């Protein structure tokens, strides 16, 4: 079916017209001007040429429209479909429509982490030992021109990242991933793509890659002493002039950083996490920006550069291959030089397209191998443990994570100077859709509950610092009064300056002990900073000066989410054990688990001192 779409101009245009989402609406069944000569531009002299920039971002290891945690086709309430195989069909259709020679295909990062498929080829059958990464194979078949690094590219360490880079037929770009000592980029900062124009001098398109500086926090263990991450705007001010000096007629940036200025890590770094709009506003000479990282659907946005007064086009194509950005850049020769005279963008919806047959076929073996892995049974659970309500009430699913983490740390510290300290643990509700079923328990069940590749550490905090930590966590809740019942959306995911799109579930931490040791209330009728009450350990008010060992993941300990005290706290355990694997190993060793052994109501959500009711 893919070949039929690409072979018929009418069918192809119908697909692209149907797929268009918002923005400029660039496709009609009567076609669009080719990316070669497009005639005279209004008000200027010289030939007009249409260049098309195609973009994806945040693919996160998704090749097929498949949910490995459910072992079924991916579905959501909006009817989205995912995977690079579907996005590839749209990309190839646009190339066939516009002319492949005048299309540039980019990605804005976060490619090799996020699914069991990605995990398998990083950890189980690692590419560092000879296997081929399915995302490298798929992206090579698409024929990308370049990709910016995302923060998650660093999750598995530099050896895995360099191996993945070596398997690609196109460059990875990151002007602000620089050597710890020299300050020089450790990956290509940019490339210049030459586009031929019949009868005219070629157009040179500079393509610059940038990544959110948050890597310095989130993957500190992998990059400290080796790679630094200066600010996006700061590095662009260095490299855009270099691109211009090297002859670039246009500059397109692929940036793994959200559109709206904010930072989940607060002021822990001097550079914002999300800076794409600042980039357009503050750095002259940029014509268009492909945006990633924030997982938002933004077909088209223009930001005016404060120095030049020119409008810069930005577009963000959602995530997981759900959308493809199409940016049309109209270029005209003005006094002998190619210049941008007009720009526009739209998104294409992958749910309108079949999977690219070649990609679907080539990756099938790896896909089936991973399906076998995630369906392997590791033990038995004596009662169902759903995570659906974990964001507003204590659940056995989150207690399970905290229990296993605290148990591992307690055993490791036995006989050490910190072995007599009480051990507590934090965990976040990563996936409301996760369910540990009653009966056989598989790898995918655990992976669905703990979807990130975090490792376990332990730090020491005082009772007073624990209260500060929990107050920060309680920022997640909106302020409400009365007993409810409240729809969950009226209570959770509060908008803050650090999270203008709403505080994500992964930044709400639940703290607990091995069982029924720590307890506290969260009164969300109170203002932020004064919501935690009745904080007790073993039934007594917690002593402000008492020291506790806290089991914590590496993302949080390194500053992710901007929680207080953790980055400066003494680290007493760090064996680089993956938490997901720790959960799997715990179940395997036990054979069967009973939620009664670790589940307890450690915290309550209140309003005006009284329990509230929340409905999903």
């Amino acid at each position: 079916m893919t070949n039929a779409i690409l072979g018929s101009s009418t069918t192809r245009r119908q697909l692209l017209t149907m797929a268009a989402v918002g923005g400029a609406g660039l496709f009609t069944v009567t076609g669009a001007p080719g990316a070669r000569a497009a005639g005279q531009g209004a008000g200027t002299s010289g030939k007009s040429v249409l260049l098309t920039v195609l973009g994806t971002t945040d693919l996160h290891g998704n090749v097929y429209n498949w949910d490995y945690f459910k072992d079924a086709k991916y579905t959501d309430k909006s009817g989205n479909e995912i995977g690079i195989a579907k996005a590839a069909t749209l990309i190839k259709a646009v190339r066939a429509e516009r002319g492949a020679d005048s299309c540039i295909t980019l990605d804005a990062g976060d490619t090799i982490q996020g699914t069991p498929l990605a995990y398998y080829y990083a950890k189980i059958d690692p590419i560092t030992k000879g296997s081929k990464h399915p995302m490298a194979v798929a992206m090579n078949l698409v024929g990308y021109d370049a990709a910016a690094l995302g923060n998650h590219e660093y999750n598995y360490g530099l050896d895995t990242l360099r191996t993945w880079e070596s398997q690609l037929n196109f460059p990875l770009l990151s002007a602000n991933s620089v050597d710890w000592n020299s300050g020089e980029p450790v990956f290509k900062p940019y490339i210049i793509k030459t586009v031929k124009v019949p009868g005219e001098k070629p157009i040179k398109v500079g393509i610059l890659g940038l990544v959110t500086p948050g890597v310095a926090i989130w993957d500190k263990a992998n990059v400290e002493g080796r790679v630094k991450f200066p600010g996006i705007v700061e590095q662009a001010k260095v490299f855009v002039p270099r691109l211009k000096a090297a002859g670039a007629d246009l500059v397109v940036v692929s940036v793994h950083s959200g559109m709206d200025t904010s930072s989940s890590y607060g002021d822990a770094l001097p550079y914002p996490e999300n800076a794409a709009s600042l980039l357009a506003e503050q750095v002259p000479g940029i014509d268009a920006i492909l945006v990633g990282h924030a997982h938002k659907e933004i077909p088209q946005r223009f930001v005016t550069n404060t120095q030049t007064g020119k409008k810069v086009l930005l577009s963000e194509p959602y995530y997981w291959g759900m959308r493809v950005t199409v940016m049309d850049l109209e270029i005209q020769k003005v006094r002998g030089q190619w210049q941008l005279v007009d720009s526009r963008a739209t998104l294409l919806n992958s749910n309108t397209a079949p999977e690219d047959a070649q990609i679907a076929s080539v990756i099938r073996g790896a896909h089936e191998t991973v399906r076998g892995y995630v369906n392997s049974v590791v033990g038995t659970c004596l009662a169902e443990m759903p995570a659906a309500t974990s964001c507003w009430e204590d659940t056995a699913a989150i207690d399970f994570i905290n229990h296993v983490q605290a148990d591992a740390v307690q055993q490791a510290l036995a006989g050490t100077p910190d072995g007599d300290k009480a051990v507590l643990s934090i965990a976040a509700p990563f996936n409301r859709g996760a369910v540990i079923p009653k009966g056989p328990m598989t790898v995918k069940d655990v992976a669905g509950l703990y979807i990130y590749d975090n490792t376990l550490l332990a730090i020491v905090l005082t009772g007073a610092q624990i209260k500060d930590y929990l107050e920060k966590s309680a920022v997640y809740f909106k302020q409400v009064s009365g007993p409810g019942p409240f729809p969950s959306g009226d209570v959770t995911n509060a908008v803050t300056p650090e999270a203008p799109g709403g505080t994500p579930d992964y930044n709400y931490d639940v703290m607990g002990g091995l069982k029924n040791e720590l307890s506290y209330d969260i009164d969300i009728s109170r203002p932020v900073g004064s919501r935690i009450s009745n904080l007790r350990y073993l039934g007594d008010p917690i002593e402000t000066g008492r020291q506790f060992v806290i089991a914590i993941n590496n993302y949080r300990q390194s500053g992710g989410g901007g929680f207080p005290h953790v980055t400066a706290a003494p680290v007493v355990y760090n064996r680089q054990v993956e938490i997901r694997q720790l959960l799997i190993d715990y179940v395997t060793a036990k054979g069967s688990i009973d939620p009664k052994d670790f589940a307890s109501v450690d915290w309550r959500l209140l309003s005006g001192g009284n329990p509230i009711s929340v409905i999903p």
Side-chain angles (χ1 to χ4, degrees), residues 108-443:
D110 273 8
T111 306
I112 60 171
Q113 178 278 338
T115 61
L117 181 75
Y119 177 82
Y120 189 89
Y121 288 97
K123 292 291 186 179
I124 307 301
D125 183 14
I127 58 174
T128 51
K129 294 187 178 179
S131 63
K132 194 81 170 176
H133 202 295
M135 292 305 295
V137 175
M139 293 181 84
N140 287 341
L141 289 172
V142 172
Y144 282 83
D145 291 287
L149 288 178
N151 56 287
H152 282 291
E153 263 66 80
Y154 287 92
N155 284 176
Y156 299 119
L158 291 174
D159 289 346
T160 296
L161 177 50
R162 288 298 189 189
T163 303
W164 181 61
E165 179 187 31
S166 73
Q167 295 181 352
L168 299 172
N169 295 339
F170 54 89
L172 295 177
L173 306 179
S174 190
N176 66 325
S177 297
V178 304
D179 182 81
W180 191 269
N181 297 311
S182 71
E184 292 299 312
V186 295
F187 291 87
K188 279 183 179 291
Y190 62 79
I191 61 169
I192 295 179
K193 171 85 171 177
T194 300
V195 178
K196 295 181 180 179
V197 181
E200 299 284 349
K201 72 174 186 177
I203 300 170
K204 292 186 176 181
V205 183
I207 302 166
L208 179 68
L210 294 158
V211 66
T212 175
V215 181
I217 291 176
W218 306 319
D219 275 299
K220 182 179 179 181
N222 291 329
V223 300
E224 190 170 36
R226 303 177 72 181
V227 186
K228 289 182 180 179
F229 300 87
I232 285 169
V233 170
E234 288 76 6
Q235 282 299 90
K237 286 181 177 178
V238 173
F239 283 97
V240 171
R242 291 188 189 180
L243 274 166
K244 290 293 190 180
D249 298 300
L250 300 179
V251 173
V252 177
V253 181
S254 181
V255 61
H256 192 80
S257 179
M259 195 87 72
D260 301 310
T261 306
S262 61
S263 292
S264 65
Y265 45 73
D267 60 0
L269 293 174
Y271 315 113
E273 173 185 351
N274 297 304
S277 291
L278 285 179
L279 177 66
E281 181 181 280
Q282 297 182 8
V283 183
I286 296 171
D287 296 290
I289 302 175
L290 175 66
V291 179
H293 183 60
H295 291 205
K296 290 187 177 181
E297 182 179 19
I298 303 176
Q300 173 180 275
R301 185 182 294 181
F302 290 97
V303 173
T304 301
N305 186 270
T306 55
Q307 293 187 42
T308 65
K310 292 183 178 179
K311 291 184 177 180
V312 181
L313 173 65
L314 300 92
S315 180
E316 182 173 4
Y318 221 13
Y319 62 100
W320 295 358
M322 292 180 187
R323 306 287 185 272
V324 173
T325 278
V326 182
M327 292 191 280
D328 277 351
L329 308 179
E330 188 175 345
I331 322 300
Q332 194 157 52
K333 219 171 185 183
V334 179
R335 292 183 293 276
Q337 301 299 317
W338 292 112
Q339 292 184 16
L340 180 70
V341 294
D342 193 20
S343 60
R344 52 204 177 270
T346 192
L347 300 180
L348 301 179
N349 194 331
S350 293
N351 69 3
T352 62
E355 291 177 340
D356 179 83
Q358 185 181 21
I359 291 175
S361 174
V362 170
I363 308 299
R364 185 66 59 189
H367 170 69
E368 294 301 332
T369 295
V370 173
R371 285 188 65 201
Y373 164 69
V374 300
N375 282 294
S376 59
V377 175
V378 296
T380 302
C381 189
L382 300 185
E384 184 182 71
M385 295 193 297
T389 61
S390 298
C391 295
W392 56 87
E393 67 179 7
D394 200 337
T395 64
I398 303 302
D399 288 345
F400 169 58
I401 298 171
N402 273 331
H403 177 82
V404 173
Q405 291 180 164
D407 180 66
V409 169
Q410 186 177 69
Q411 290 189 45
L413 295 182
T416 73
D418 297 292
D420 60 346
K421 294 183 175 72
V423 179
L424 303 174
S425 176
I426 65 98
F430 292 147
N431 179 10
R432 298 190 194 189
V435 178
I436 302 295
K438 180 180 180 180
M441 190 171 171
T442 65
V443 168

Side-chain angles (χ1 to χ4, degrees), residues 598-615:
F598 49 78
S600 58
V601 178
D602 302 323
W603 62 278
R604 301 181 303 163
L605 207 58
L606 309 178
S607 177
N610 299 308
I612 67 171
S613 174
V614 180
I615 53 178

Side-chain angles (χ1 to χ4, degrees), residues 90-101:
L90 296 172
I91 290 168
K92 292 179 179 180
V94 177
R95 286 180 187 153
E97 182 72 6
R98 298 287 171 80
D101 291 343

